[in-house]
Amino acid sequence: EQICTSLAVLNEGQLLVTGPVETFLSEQNASLTELRAEPLETAHRVLKDLDQVSEIAIYEHHLRFRVDHENRPEVAAALTKAKVKIYSLTPVSRLEDYFLSLFGYRELP
């Protein structure tokens, strides 16, 4: 991520995406979001009820989900209304996260 300028992702011999790294990171920044909040279970329930939010993955200490950049304030407002303490609501823009977003997030056992 720090030294590459172009990206190509293959899946079972098929080319999925190719192009400049900046393009994929800026796309990712627009939708993949990480939330650190308490109580996490309440935050998860609130996010599931929002039409703007999709692909929610719950981890031990945070949530990751997709939401358009312009809808993040609405997400924060809904969480605050539900008395969720928000410690961070951060767009994710790492190359590894972009790769994982192509195949879906899942917890490892």
Side-chain angles (χ1 to χ4, degrees):
E1 167 177 341
Q2 294 177 359
I3 60 171
C4 69
T5 56
S6 295
L7 171 72
V9 177
L10 298 170
N11 183 29
E12 298 181 4
Q14 298 292 320
L15 182 63
L16 295 181
V17 295
T18 185
V21 170
E22 310 83 56
T23 302
F24 301 107
L25 293 181
S26 65
E27 286 174 12
Q28 195 65 6
N29 190 34
S31 61
L32 189 62
T33 302
E34 183 173 288
L35 171 68
R36 294 190 181 273
E38 288 181 358
L40 206 54
E41 298 78 17
T42 303
H44 185 252
R45 192 173 55 250
V46 169
L47 293 176
K48 284 185 359 184
D49 291 339
L50 295 174
D51 292 335
Q52 308 93 323
V53 174
S54 64
E55 298 180 36
I56 305 166
I58 188 166
Y59 296 86
E60 187 174 344
H61 300 292
H62 66 279
L63 295 167
R64 283 201 176 165
F65 56 93
R66 292 194 174 282
V67 63
D68 289 337
H69 177 74
E70 64 269 7
N71 291 325
R72 283 193 187 117
E74 293 174 40
V75 170
L79 291 165
T80 301
K81 185 177 179 181
K83 308 263 190 255
V84 172
K85 293 180 184 177
I86 300 171
Y87 296 104
S88 67
L89 184 64
T90 312
V92 176
S93 61
R94 291 181 20 218
L95 192 53
E96 176 184 357
D97 291 309
Y98 177 76
F99 176 81
L100 292 173
S101 74
L102 292 174
F103 300 100
Y105 283 92
R106 59 186 159 172
E107 282 283 340
L108 296 175

